[in-house]
């Protein structure tokens, strides 16, 4: 495999991160592919971690999360309030929240998860961000002779929880589709017609040829035919006084 298949994601569960990946790292197990690179991350800015992850890991990051094996040190602030998780622009603050990770089959404790949040600026006036870190530690209850340094590494899961911005292109295309259009077209009698408010289909309804012929047939020398039921004049019987009688033609002299 030269590239990671499109659509395939690296989404291990917490017990898999601890019991398989972290335990394997502490045992010195080598992976066929570098899924989780080793890096000291606490002095690096969070955006840089995603760039480094793409450079070191076989799995590309989606920009929302990444994983690292980090050499373990005591990262808890001392009594003077200093924090050795500081970067140039901010610091990682321990929320003091711990969660126990248990094996799914036996329910035994296999690890501990600590939660940290990245702050911009300096303590105690830092500004909280949406960058979160889950720091996984192997439990002392699962140590064995094959793990020489059980506290040598921790597994860090960095998560960017910044809300995604809505796409403006979708809203602009929707508004343009709903905007009314003015369409000009000509009929056979060269009379321009304007439709200012088109329906959603945006297709003008043009009169059919049969309807146009019917409209034109209603005119004769510019005068309309009398169409419809006969009126009182047409219902009257014929009378010789209404016109010239045939015998009067012979009397013309």
């Amino acid at each position: 495999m030269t590239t990671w298949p499109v659509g395939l994601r690296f989404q291990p569960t917490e017990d898999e991160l601890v019991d398989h990946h972290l335990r394997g790292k502490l045992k010195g197990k080598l992976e066929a592919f570098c899924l989780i690179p080793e890096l000291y991350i606490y002095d690096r800015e969070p955006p840089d971690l995603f760039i480094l992850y793409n450079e070191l890991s076989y799995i590309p990051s989606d920009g929302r999360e990444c994983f690292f094996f980090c050499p373990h040190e005591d990262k808890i602030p001392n009594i003077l309030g200093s924090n050795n998780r500081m970067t140039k622009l901010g610091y990682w603050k321990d929320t003091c929240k711990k969660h126990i990770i248990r094996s799914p089959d036996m329910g035994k404790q296999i690890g501990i998860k600590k939660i940290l949040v990245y702050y911009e600026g300096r303590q105690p006036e830092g500004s909280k961000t949406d960058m979160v870190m889950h720091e996984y530690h192997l439990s002392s209850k699962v140590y064995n002779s094959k793990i020489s340094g059980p506290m040598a590494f921790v597994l860090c899961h960095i998560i960017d929880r910044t809300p995604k911005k809505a796409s403006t292109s979708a809203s602009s295309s929707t508004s343009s589709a709903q905007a009314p259009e003015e369409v000009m077209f000509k009929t056979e009698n060269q009379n321009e017609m304007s439709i200012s408010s088109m329906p959603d289909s945006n297709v003008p309804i043009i009169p059919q040829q049969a309807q146009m012929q019917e409209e034109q047939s209603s005119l004769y020398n510019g005068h309309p035919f009398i169409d419809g039921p006969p009126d009182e004049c047409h219902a009257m019987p014929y009378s010789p006084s209404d016109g010239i009688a045939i015998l009067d033609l012979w009397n013309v002299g």
Side-chain angles (χ1 to χ4, degrees):
M1 296 173 62
T2 57
T3 58
W4 190 256
V6 176
L8 192 61
R9 300 287 185 267
F10 180 61
Q11 296 179 336
T13 60
E14 291 187 328
D15 60 276
E16 291 173 343
L17 287 174
V18 174
D19 202 30
H20 175 74
H21 294 282
L22 181 57
R23 185 198 291 265
K25 178 67 175 178
L26 294 174
K27 287 182 177 180
K29 181 180 178 181
L30 298 177
E31 299 283 351
F33 302 98
C34 180
L35 303 180
I36 303 178
E38 177 183 335
L39 181 69
Y40 185 79
I41 67 172
Y42 297 109
D43 58 351
R44 299 179 182 271
E45 307 302 329
D48 297 336
L49 294 177
F50 290 93
I51 298 175
L52 292 170
Y53 180 79
N54 286 334
E55 294 177 355
L56 301 174
S57 175
Y58 184 77
I59 307 173
S61 172
D62 59 356
R64 307 292 294 182
E65 58 181 352
C66 58
F67 303 84
F68 289 97
F69 289 120
C70 181
H72 180 262
E73 295 180 6
D74 184 10
K75 301 300 175 183
I76 303 300
N78 56 30
I79 57 176
L80 298 178
S82 62
N83 189 347
N84 51 1
R85 290 192 183 97
M86 296 175 60
T87 67
K88 293 182 179 180
L89 301 178
Y91 59 94
W92 290 97
K93 181 179 179 180
D94 192 343
T95 62
C96 298
K97 295 181 180 179
K98 298 181 180 180
H99 297 271
I100 297 176
I101 308 300
R102 300 183 182 276
S103 60
D105 50 355
M106 303 295 293
K108 295 181 178 181
Q109 179 178 340
I110 57 177
I112 297 175
K113 178 180 70 173
K114 297 180 180 181
I115 301 177
L116 300 91
V117 178
Y118 185 77
Y119 283 72
E120 294 178 346
R122 288 292 177 256
Q123 293 178 311
E125 299 179 354
S127 178
K128 185 179 180 180
T129 69
D130 293 317
M131 288 290 180
V132 179
M133 181 192 303
H134 293 170
E135 192 179 79
Y136 294 94
H137 301 253
L138 188 67
S139 176
S140 58
K141 297 180 180 182
V142 296
Y143 293 166
N144 53 42
S145 58
K146 295 182 179 180
I147 301 178
S148 57
M151 300 298 294
F153 291 95
V154 293
L155 196 158
C156 299
H157 181 195
I158 296 91
I159 307 168
D160 183 1
R161 292 182 175 176
T162 305
K164 294 183 179 180
K165 296 182 180 180
S167 176
T168 56
S169 58
S171 59
S172 60
S173 61
T174 304
S175 60
S176 61
Q178 295 178 353
E181 298 180 1
E182 185 171 348
V183 180
M184 302 292 298
F185 65 91
K186 293 183 179 182
T187 59
E188 288 192 358
N189 58 359
Q190 301 300 317
N191 293 328
E192 291 186 354
M193 301 180 65
S194 173
I195 300 178
S196 59
S197 297
M198 295 298 299
D200 293 339
S201 59
N202 292 331
V203 179
I205 303 175
I206 302 177
Q208 300 296 327
Q209 186 69 20
Q211 296 176 351
M212 295 170 57
Q213 291 179 354
E214 182 179 353
E215 293 176 359
Q216 293 178 357
S217 63
S218 63
L219 299 176
Y220 180 75
N221 291 334
H223 300 284
F225 286 125
I226 299 176
D227 189 14
D231 53 15
E232 184 180 355
C233 180
H234 287 79
M236 295 176 60
Y238 170 75
S239 174
S241 62
D242 295 336
I244 301 177
I246 298 177
L247 296 178
D248 293 339
L249 298 176
W250 299 97
N251 297 329
V252 176

